[in-house]
């Protein structure tokens, strides 16, 4: 039985061995013979692996990143309120879903919790901590700012003296503050202000500036004498003075817990959790002001999570960064797959005659597939490894750019652990997989036809895509147009999502229907080249008509680069253009007051309003609110930037463009709503809108007015005094003032400066204020990542266009030689190639612009009510790049054949 098995299996094993041996032989010979064609594929695969690896590294870094631990470095655990809000709803036909959104304003906890935690076994000390921004002026009155960080100039915060144990800070000189007018400063601030113990500093928090005596200089334990915190300055007061300056009695920001010796973080966490989960008045107090779906229990943070209680902007910033990177990664992956598939398919397709000959002499289909697979594997492996290696420096450059441009919030740490550098290995494997699948699909047709028909099939190129590809392309086209129509009829939030889906679907449709698009373009454009192009025009028309499949492969990457770059640039430009126009129309003030410190206290606006010659004045207090809604049945929590103003100063200083209602009714319990937001929420004047402030407090507010300039001012407008109760520190960003028509502007500015000279540190008074134009929280990150995406992905696609065109011209060498043999001149062939380049460029620009313009128009009309906008310089740059790339990709590779006096074929015997 065993012998029979060996007898039956041995011939099969021999055949498989022969197939592998022959495939290796053919792959080696074919790779050397087609090295120019594989060079184009190699370039595309290198860039694909590089892009996927670098963006995957950035996404993973953001995923494992978080808030840096600085001020709480000496604690074992930190107890703080939950800085998130939740919304639970039942989507259509699905089980209930809960979504979470981060809060940007401090949710404080009752101070009585400190004593409760101090009695927990294993707790050496429970230290309350409250922080508040401080503005400083050193001797001589010059302003002092916080330490420079990766994101610019960091703020300075005040604390009670007990909080020095949390870092820990230790005295380097002097002593602890003992009186109400004494303060200790960190070493970095002391060096910047040029002060020593015994000197005087002017400090300002919420009230007028007060002079304090520097009692001592502190620094984190183990740091140099002049060192402070890396990302925030610190000033320490007595406990009583810190409570008074913070402006909130009986509540604290967080509680740092120091453990006894021998008690680890895990043990302490369990004990603290048990103490907090029992009968807890603090939890009940929080639950009374928040939404019933929100968590009311306090959080126990250990390890790296302690930084969440310190840097509130880090978690929302990380969440926004992850969303942006995920979107970019999906786009990069889609473009890379289309480009690689097109390049590899074109390379394999050019060998159709060679493959057909092998089939005719008896090569089985699996031998052809194995041969092409080995070739692709060899080229793709080397390219993927090279691209993966290059992805590491590209990723590090991206991180550096995010930090240098101030795109990351203060305190957000994006780590780069060594194990993370294994990620490019996975993206390299993905690149290899895409190349292998593309090659298998490309050689599937020629490998399946019977040997007797192989040569006949090879003589005629497949001028139109298969039925499956055509059907898929039509479905994608229909989906894109449907999504664009949906975007035009939906409110802003849904419109943005639908427009993005439409752009993606249309680009995929253009890639799948490339040969059909090329055939239609040839029918329209080729006749235009016949008369002015002469013989070259006739050659170009005939070549383009006979080879629309080849022309479609050249047009597809051009469509990709135009559509991708156009969408990325035009979307932001449209919003900025319309928002800027609304902001300019809304601005009525002609005087602005700012400060180089932490912000302006409420007294600044009152003093400006009291200056003779000032018609009206208002401070602008910025914060965020969270709105719960449903989008296509799914629950959504959206965090929106808002502003608080003095209603009596409107519209003299700021005109939101009220369409119904009146801003005079803007007060506690009311809100003004932007027209687009009012439509999406289905509310009007007199209706109630339910929202959550930045500190999580839920409120049902009556709509006092509806206004139209929401792109400039935001979707909600509050009375300043109402919003001030729900921000961490009620400091205005600036004060806007309107000068009376009969007053002297110069004299009013001087009077305002004099009125604020003793009330605000570092005051600045200027004319012609910039428009009040809100920016989304992740706008800085979006700008940087958009610039990177346009530069890197756009450059990759341009190189892919060059690679594809060069690959096509390499396969046309025999065609050019034949044209020379039958008498075509160099000028005629150059004219033919130039006309083909023009067809490729014009078709790619028109189709790519259409693929971008359709969803952009739908989105713009829905959000702004105006057509999309793209600066002329950027549009011209796109056209120039496409024209130069198409011309260079077609004409330059043909240069060697055209420069010869006589083609090499003429010298053959």
């Amino acid at each position: 039985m065993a012998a029979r098995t060996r007898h039956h299996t041995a011939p099969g094993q021999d055949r498989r061995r022969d197939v592998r041996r022959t495939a290796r032989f053919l792959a080696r010979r074919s790779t050397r013979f087609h090295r120019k064609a594989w060079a184009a594929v190699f370039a595309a695969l290198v860039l694909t692996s590089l892009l996927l690896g670098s963006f995957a590294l950035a996404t993973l870094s953001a995923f494992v990143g978080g808030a840096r631990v600085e001020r709480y470095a000496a604690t074992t655990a930190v107890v703080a309120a939950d800085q998130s809000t939740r919304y639970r709803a039942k989507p259509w036909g699905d089980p209930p879903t809960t979504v979470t959104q981060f809060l940007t304003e401090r949710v404080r906890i009752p101070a009585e919790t400190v004593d409760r935690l101090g009695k927990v076994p294993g707790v050496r000390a429970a230290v309350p901590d409250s922080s508040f921004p401080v503005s400083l002026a050193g001797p001589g009155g010059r302003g002092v700012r916080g330490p420079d960080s990766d994101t610019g100039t960091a703020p300075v915060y005040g604390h009670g003296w007990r909080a020095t144990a949390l870092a820990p800070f230790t005295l380097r000189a002097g002593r602890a503050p003992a009186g109400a007018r004494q303060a200790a400063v960190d070493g970095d601030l002391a060096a910047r202000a040029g002060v020593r113990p015994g000197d005087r500093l002017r400090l300002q928090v919420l009230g007028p500036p007060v002079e304090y005596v520097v009692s001592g200089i502190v620094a984190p334990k183990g740091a140099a004498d002049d060192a402070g915190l890396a990302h925030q300055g610190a000033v320490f007061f007595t406990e009583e003075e810190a409570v008074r300056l913070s402006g909130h009695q009986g509540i604290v920001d967080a509680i740092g817990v120091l453990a006894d010796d021998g008690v680890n973080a895990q043990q302490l966490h369990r004990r603290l959790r048990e103490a907090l989960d029992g009968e807890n008045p603090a939890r009940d107090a929080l639950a009374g002001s928040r939404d019933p779906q929100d968590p009311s229990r306090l959080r126990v943070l250990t390890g790296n999570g302690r930084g969440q209680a310190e840097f509130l902007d880090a978690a929302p910033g990380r969440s926004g960064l992850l969303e942006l990177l995920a979107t970019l990664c999906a786009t990069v992956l889609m473009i890379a797959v289309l480009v690689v598939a097109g390049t590899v398919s074109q390379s394999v397709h050019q060998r159709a005659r060679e493959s057909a000959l092998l089939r005719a002499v008896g090569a089985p289909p699996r031998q052809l597939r194995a041969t092409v697979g080995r070739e692709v594997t060899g080229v793709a492996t080397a390219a993927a490894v090279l691209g993966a290696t290059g992805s590491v420096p590209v990723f590090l450059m991206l991180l550096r750019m995010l930090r240098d441009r101030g795109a990351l919030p203060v305190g957000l740490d994006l780590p780069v652990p060594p194990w993370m550098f294994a990620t490019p290995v996975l993206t390299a494997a993905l690149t290899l997989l895409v190349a292998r699948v593309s090659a298998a699909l490309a050689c599937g047709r020629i490998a399946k036809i019977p040997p007797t028909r192989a040569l006949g099939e090879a003589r005629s190129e497949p001028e139109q895509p298969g039925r499956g590809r055509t059907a898929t392309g039509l479905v994608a086209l229909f989906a894109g147009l449907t999504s664009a129509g949906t975007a035009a009829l939906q409110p802003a939030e849904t419109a943005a999502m639908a427009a993005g889906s439409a752009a993606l679907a249309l680009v995929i449709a253009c890639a799948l229907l490339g040969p059909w698009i090329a055939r239609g373009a040839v029918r329209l454009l080729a006749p235009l080249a016949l008369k002015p192009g002469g013989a070259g025009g006739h050659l170009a028309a005939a070549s383009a008509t006979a080879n629309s499949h080849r022309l479609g492969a050249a047009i597809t990457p051009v469509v990709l680069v135009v559509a991708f770059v156009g969408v990325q640039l035009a979307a932001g430009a449209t919003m900025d253009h319309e928002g800027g126009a609304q902001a300019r129309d809304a601005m009525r003030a002609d005087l602005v007051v700012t400060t180089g410190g932490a912000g302006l206290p409420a007294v600044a606006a009152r003093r400006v309003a009291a200056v003779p010659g000032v018609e009206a004045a208002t401070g602008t207090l910025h914060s965020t609110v969270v709105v719960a809604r449903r989008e296509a049945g799914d629950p959504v929590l959206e965090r929106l930037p808002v502003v608080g103003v003095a209603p009596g100063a409107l519209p003299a200083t700021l005109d939101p463009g009220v369409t119904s209602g009146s801003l005079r009714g803007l007060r506690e319990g009311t809100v003004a709503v932007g027209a687009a937001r009012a439509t999406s929420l289905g509310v009007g004047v007199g209706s109630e809108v339910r929202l959550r402030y930045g500190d999580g407090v839920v409120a049902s507010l009556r709509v006092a007015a509806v206004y139209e300039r929401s792109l400039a001012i935001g979707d909600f407008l509050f009375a300043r005094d109402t919003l001030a109760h729900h921000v961490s520190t009620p400091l205005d960003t600036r004060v806007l003032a309107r000068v009376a028509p009969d007053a002297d502007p110069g004299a009013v500015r001087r009077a305002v400066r004099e009125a604020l000279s003793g009330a605000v540190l570092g005051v600045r008074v200027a004319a012609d204020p910039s428009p009040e134009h809100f920016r989304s929280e992740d706008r800085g990150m979006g700008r940087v990542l958009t610039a990177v995406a346009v530069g890197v992905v756009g450059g990759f696609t341009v190189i892919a266009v060059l690679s594809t065109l060069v690959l096509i011209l390499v396969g046309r060498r025999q065609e050019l030689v034949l044209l020379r043999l039958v008498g075509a001149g160099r000028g005629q062939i150059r004219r033919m190639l130039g006309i083909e380049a023009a067809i490729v460029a014009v078709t790619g620009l028109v189709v790519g612009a259409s693929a971008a313009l359709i969803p952009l128009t739908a989105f713009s009309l829905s959000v702004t009510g105006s057509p999309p906008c793209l600066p002329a310089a950027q549009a011209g740059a796109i056209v120039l790049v496409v024209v130069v790339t198409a011309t260079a990709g077609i004409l330059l590779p043909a240069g060697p054949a055209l420069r010869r006096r006589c083609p090499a074929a003429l010298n053959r015997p």
Side-chain angles (χ1 to χ4, degrees):
M1 186 69 178
R4 188 180 306 168
T5 303
R6 287 195 299 270
H7 176 75
H8 285 294
T9 58
Q13 293 176 354
D14 291 340
R15 283 194 297 270
R16 288 193 293 271
R17 190 181 302 110
D18 291 340
V19 168
R20 290 195 296 269
R21 186 185 306 112
T22 305
R24 284 196 298 268
F25 172 78
L26 292 175
R28 287 195 301 269
R29 293 298 183 90
S30 181
T31 302
R32 287 197 297 269
F33 183 76
H34 297 287
R35 59 182 180 275
K36 291 184 178 179
W38 285 119
V41 176
F42 181 84
L45 291 173
V46 167
L47 292 173
T48 299
S49 179
L50 186 146
L51 283 180
L52 292 179
S54 57
F55 278 104
L57 283 170
T59 304
L60 186 58
S61 179
F63 181 78
V64 301
R68 185 181 289 105
V69 182
E70 287 187 357
R71 200 172 69 246
Y72 298 138
T75 64
T76 309
V78 176
V79 176
D82 196 314
Q83 288 288 149
S84 63
T85 185
R86 289 168 173 77
Y87 175 44
R88 182 177 177 85
K90 188 178 185 304
W92 299 333
D94 293 327
T97 304
T98 301
V99 292
T100 303
Q101 186 61 269
F102 292 103
L103 300 172
T104 58
E105 304 293 351
R106 176 74 66 179
V107 182
R108 296 187 170 94
I109 59 179
E112 62 190 37
T113 310
V114 177
D115 295 334
R116 185 185 187 92
L117 297 180
K119 300 175 183 178
V120 173
V123 172
R124 174 163 52 90
V127 181
D129 179 44
S130 292
S131 61
F132 43 90
V134 177
S135 299
L136 296 87
R142 66 184 182 92
V144 182
R145 291 189 177 186
D148 292 335
S149 68
D150 293 336
T151 58
T153 300
V156 180
Y157 288 97
H159 309 272
W161 177 252
R162 290 179 62 188
T164 56
L166 303 179
F169 280 96
T170 58
L171 278 169
R172 299 300 187 183
R175 56 185 177 81
R181 291 297 179 263
Q182 292 184 358
V185 299
D186 71 57
D188 184 81
L189 283 178
R192 290 175 178 273
V195 296
R196 294 177 297 180
D199 292 342
R200 295 181 178 274
L201 273 176
R202 295 187 72 201
L203 307 179
Q204 182 174 29
V205 183
L206 298 178
V210 177
E211 196 170 72
Y212 287 81
V213 176
V214 178
S215 65
I217 307 297
V218 298
K221 186 176 181 179
D225 289 352
D226 60 347
L229 289 178
H231 290 83
Q232 51 185 317
V235 180
F236 295 95
F237 305 88
T238 62
E239 292 299 319
E240 295 76 12
E241 183 69 2
V243 171
R244 187 187 69 83
L245 292 175
S246 66
H248 44 80
Q249 297 278 344
I251 51 177
V252 297
D253 291 358
I255 303 171
V257 181
L258 307 178
D260 288 331
D261 295 337
V263 179
N264 58 36
Q266 185 177 4
Q267 294 172 333
L268 187 63
H269 182 281
R270 184 178 64 253
R271 295 173 185 176
L272 293 175
R273 187 74 275 157
E274 291 174 355
L276 293 173
D277 288 342
E279 184 179 351
N280 192 347
R283 182 186 59 211
D284 298 337
L286 287 174
S289 61
R290 303 188 65 176
D291 190 274
Q293 296 183 358
D294 282 355
S296 58
R297 73 178 199 167
L298 303 181
R299 301 182 66 193
V300 180
L301 308 173
T302 59
N304 293 333
R306 293 170 296 170
Q308 298 176 23
E310 186 173 353
F311 298 104
L312 297 187
D313 293 335
R318 173 178 170 271
S319 177
L321 180 61
L322 275 174
E323 291 180 4
L324 291 171
L325 285 173
T327 302
L328 280 178
C329 283
T331 304
V332 168
L333 182 61
M334 183 270 294
I335 292 178
V337 169
L338 291 177
V339 168
V340 170
T343 307
V344 174
S345 298
Q346 185 63 28
S347 176
V348 175
H349 178 70
Q350 287 182 355
R351 302 168 52 189
R353 293 179 182 276
E354 176 185 327
S355 300
L357 179 60
L358 290 175
R359 287 287 290 128
V361 298
R366 60 179 177 177
Q367 193 173 73
L368 293 183
R369 289 193 291 266
T371 300
V372 175
R374 286 184 177 275
E375 290 185 64
V376 171
T377 300
V379 173
T381 300
V385 170
L386 181 60
T389 303
S391 66
V392 175
V394 172
F395 156 67
L396 296 177
M397 291 175 58
L398 175 59
L399 282 189
R400 183 182 182 89
M401 185 179 299
L402 286 170
R403 290 165 178 160
D404 292 345
R405 301 290 180 87
L408 299 178
V410 174
L412 177 59
D413 188 22
L414 299 181
V416 189
W419 58 264
M420 200 172 70
F421 292 110
T423 304
V425 177
L426 300 178
T427 57
L430 178 61
T431 303
L432 177 60
L433 176 63
V434 171
R436 285 296 303 267
V437 172
S438 301
L441 294 176
C443 71
R445 180 180 177 275
I446 197 67
K448 290 180 180 179
I449 59 177
T452 55
R453 296 177 53 200
L455 293 178
E457 291 284 341
R459 291 192 186 100
S460 60
E461 294 188 1
E463 297 304 327
Q464 59 188 23
R467 294 180 179 178
R469 177 175 174 176
T470 302
T472 305
L474 292 175
V475 170
L477 179 62
F478 176 78
L481 295 176
T482 303
S483 297
T486 301
L489 300 176
Q490 296 297 322
E493 303 81 10
T494 309
M497 183 176 63
S501 301
L504 180 63
L506 290 175
V507 168
I508 294 175
C510 291
L512 295 174
L513 301 177
W516 289 108
I517 294 173
R519 174 174 291 186
V522 167
R523 289 183 178 178
L524 291 175
L525 300 178
L528 302 178
L530 292 178
K531 187 174 181 180
H538 284 275
L539 289 174
S543 176
T545 302
N547 299 287
S548 61
H549 186 278
R550 182 177 65 197
L551 200 63
I555 291 172
T556 297
V558 179
V559 172
L560 285 176
V561 68
V562 174
F564 173 77
V565 176
V567 168
Q568 292 293 325
L569 295 179
T574 300
M575 295 297 291
D576 286 345
H577 178 268
E578 184 63 23
Q582 290 188 12
R584 289 189 294 272
D585 294 339
M587 180 55 65
R588 294 289 185 267
D590 43 28
L591 196 66
V592 61
V593 178
T594 58
T595 179
L600 293 160
V603 67
R606 293 194 293 268
R607 290 206 175 198
V608 173
V611 171
V614 173
E615 181 180 338
T618 178
T620 57
L621 181 64
H622 290 265
S623 183
T624 60
V625 297
V626 177
V627 177
R629 59 182 179 84
R630 292 197 181 194
E631 188 175 272
D634 294 325
V636 174
L637 276 177
E638 189 173 9
R639 189 176 57 249
L640 303 169
V642 296
V643 63
V645 294
L650 305 182
T653 55
L654 205 60
D655 184 9
V658 175
T659 57
S660 61
S662 173
L663 294 176
R664 296 182 181 275
L666 197 60
R667 59 182 182 273
E668 183 75 27
T670 65
V671 66
V673 185
R677 180 64 59 176
T679 300
S680 66
L681 295 178
V683 298
V685 175
S687 302
E688 282 198 354
V689 57
R690 185 179 176 86
L691 50 80
R692 309 171 195 195
Y693 288 103
D695 60 352
V697 175
V698 65
S700 294
L701 306 176
R702 184 177 59 84
V703 178
V706 176
Y707 55 91
E708 60 182 354
R709 295 181 179 131
S710 57
L711 288 179
I713 301 174
D715 288 327
F716 295 97
L717 191 63
F718 292 87
R720 185 200 179 281
D721 294 339
T722 299
L723 193 61
H725 297 302
H726 303 283
V727 299
S728 299
T729 306
L731 294 175
D732 294 331
T733 304
R734 60 179 181 170
V735 173
L736 301 175
R738 177 76 175 177
V739 179
D742 56 347
D744 179 14
V748 172
R749 284 199 300 272
R750 290 191 295 271
V752 169
R753 190 176 292 108
E754 292 175 1
L756 296 178
S757 60
V760 180
L761 293 179
V763 67
R764 301 167 185 172
V765 183
D768 302 322
S770 59
E772 183 69 20
H773 188 186
F774 88 92
R775 301 288 183 181
S776 60
E777 296 170 299
D778 56 358
R779 182 60 174 161
M781 289 186 292
R783 284 184 178 275
V784 173
L785 292 178
T786 297
V788 171
V790 169
V792 177
V793 182
F796 160 67
T797 316
V798 166
I799 294 177
V801 172
L802 282 173
S803 300
T804 304
L805 294 176
V806 170
L807 183 60
I808 291 173
L809 260 294
V810 168
R812 297 179 63 185
R813 288 176 298 183
Q814 297 299 325
E815 176 185 332
L816 299 181
V817 168
L818 181 61
L819 288 174
R820 292 294 307 280
L821 284 171
V822 299
R826 295 188 184 91
Q828 292 174 335
I829 295 179
R830 288 196 184 95
R831 196 173 299 114
M832 176 193 75
L833 296 176
I835 293 174
E836 290 185 12
I839 292 176
V840 170
V842 171
T843 305
L845 285 170
V846 171
V847 176
S850 300
L853 191 61
I854 291 174
L856 281 173
T857 301
F859 169 73
S860 181
L861 291 177
S862 174
V863 176
T864 68
S866 61
C869 170
L870 182 64
Q874 295 179 357
I878 295 174
V879 173
L880 180 63
V881 168
V882 168
V883 171
V884 171
T885 303
T887 303
I890 291 179
L891 293 181
L892 292 182
L898 297 179
R899 283 195 298 269
R900 298 175 184 172
R901 183 180 297 275
C902 184
L906 292 177
N907 296 327
R908 294 179 182 175

